[in-house]
Amino acid sequence: MHPAVAPLAFLLGTWRGEGRRDYPTIEPFAYQEETVFAHVGKPFFSYAQRTRAVPDEAPLHGETGYLRPTSGGALELVIAHPTGILELDLGHVDGTTLALRSDRVLCTPTAKEVVELRYVLDMAAVGQPLTFHLEATLRRVRA
Amino acid sequence: MHPAVAPLAFLLGTWRGEGRRDYPTIEPFAYQEETVFAHVGKPFFSYAQRTRAVPDEAPLHGETGYLRPTSGGALELVIAHPTGILELDLGHVDGTTLALRSDRVLCTPTAKEVVELRYVLDMAAVGQPLTFHLEATLRRVRA
């Protein structure tokens, strides 16, 4: 493993779980999620996420990109979405806590306009209390 | 397969081959490339590309994203690069010819500045003359 990504080694591997989706315009539903962080010996991790419906496993969302530690715990995350959105997040890692904030977003001409999107993610691993925290806020950016 | 991506079905699958890299500041070398187009039944293809050195197979470049046909043969391509670059290309498909041009590029603060990048790709498939053509020009965009 490249030493630049060693502080993020706790992320490596395949994470699976179940989520819940809701919004005023839709019926709430459950989904399965799989998130994979991998590396090839270079100073970045690849990142891929997929969600599937419960129970029929129909594909829902996916996204793919790269997580780049820079210096002093700083992080850069670049993600492509099949919805036609490109997301550039900046933040930092402190222990097993990642804090990321959307810096810029590009949308293709036909991407659905998203005014603001924010998520918070907490996870507990075997032998560890709830320490992992991932948070991002996306603001609308004109295409 | 979603009917929106049917005109791009000829791209589906795993493509492998060998390339050659050169630049005034480097020694020329050969590389292996693998490009995968896949779908999950939705109106887009996932796209992933990886290159490895010859002969030691050390990982070189990779990129990942989504190809979205819209209407009338129009195409949108969103790609994340591990170098910290996000690329939004627009273009169209005409038969088995794809023409794409970089529309906008986002760079993270530590991404190396690229002034201009252009590539042209021709391919011949079994039973077909050299008909596939992929071309893109990236211009420098300030971070």
Side-chain angles (χ1 to χ4, degrees):
Chain A
M1 188 182 310
H2 194 286
V5 292
L8 297 172
F10 69 94
L11 284 175
L12 281 175
T14 299
W15 300 75
R16 286 204 189 95
E18 197 159 300
R20 186 175 54 86
R21 186 175 178 186
D22 200 358
Y23 209 64
T25 57
I26 62 171
E27 286 296 309
F29 61 87
Y31 62 88
Q32 303 169 9
E33 178 169 340
E34 181 176 282
T35 296
V36 179
F37 290 95
H39 80 105
V40 292
K42 293 205 164 198
F44 59 83
F45 283 176
S46 62
Y47 160 75
Q49 184 255 43
R50 280 193 186 189
T51 58
R52 291 182 175 274
V54 174
D56 69 358
E57 301 199 345
L60 297 172
H61 180 71
E63 57 188 60
T64 179
Y66 301 95
L67 179 63
R68 295 159 47 85
T70 55
S71 61
L75 297 177
E76 301 173 350
L77 179 62
V78 288
I79 304 178
H81 295 258
T83 47
I85 293 174
L86 289 166
E87 178 185 343
L88 195 169
D89 298 342
L90 299 178
H92 61 274
V93 57
D94 181 7
T96 54
T97 300
L98 276 75
L100 289 160
R101 184 165 290 271
S102 176
D103 184 64
R104 276 162 299 160
V105 174
L106 281 184
C107 300
T108 64
T110 66
K112 278 188 200 169
E113 200 171 26
V114 175
V115 177
E116 183 170 306
L117 176 65
R118 179 167 54 182
Y119 64 86
V120 178
L121 183 70
D122 299 299
M123 287 197 292
V126 177
Q128 296 214 41
L130 200 64
T131 48
F132 178 85
H133 176 74
L134 181 63
E135 184 265 338
T137 303
L138 311 185
R139 296 173 303 281
R140 182 184 62 171
V141 177
R142 288 301 298 150
Chain B
M1 189 184 306
H2 194 285
V5 292
L8 297 171
F10 69 95
L11 284 175
L12 281 175
T14 300
W15 300 75
R16 287 204 188 97
E18 198 159 297
R20 186 175 55 84
R21 186 177 177 185
D22 199 358
Y23 209 65
T25 58
I26 62 171
E27 287 295 310
F29 61 86
Y31 61 88
Q32 303 169 11
E33 179 168 341
E34 182 176 282
T35 295
V36 178
F37 290 95
H39 80 106
V40 293
K42 293 207 167 198
F44 59 83
F45 283 178
S46 62
Y47 160 76
Q49 185 256 42
R50 280 193 184 190
T51 58
R52 291 183 175 273
V54 175
D56 68 358
E57 302 198 343
L60 297 171
H61 181 69
E63 56 189 61
T64 180
Y66 301 94
L67 179 62
R68 296 159 45 87
T70 55
S71 60
L75 297 177
E76 300 174 350
L77 179 63
V78 289
I79 303 177
H81 295 257
T83 47
I85 292 174
L86 289 166
E87 176 186 345
L88 194 169
D89 298 342
L90 299 177
H92 62 275
V93 57
D94 181 7
T96 56
T97 300
L98 276 75
L100 289 160
R101 184 166 289 272
S102 176
D103 185 63
R104 275 163 299 160
V105 175
L106 282 184
C107 300
T108 64
T110 68
K112 279 189 198 168
E113 199 170 26
V114 175
V115 178
E116 184 172 303
L117 176 64
R118 181 168 52 182
Y119 64 86
V120 178
L121 182 69
D122 298 299
M123 286 197 289
V126 177
Q128 295 213 41
L130 200 64
T131 49
F132 178 82
H133 175 75
L134 182 64
E135 184 265 338
T137 303
L138 311 186
R139 296 173 303 281
R140 182 183 62 172
V141 177
R142 290 298 302 149

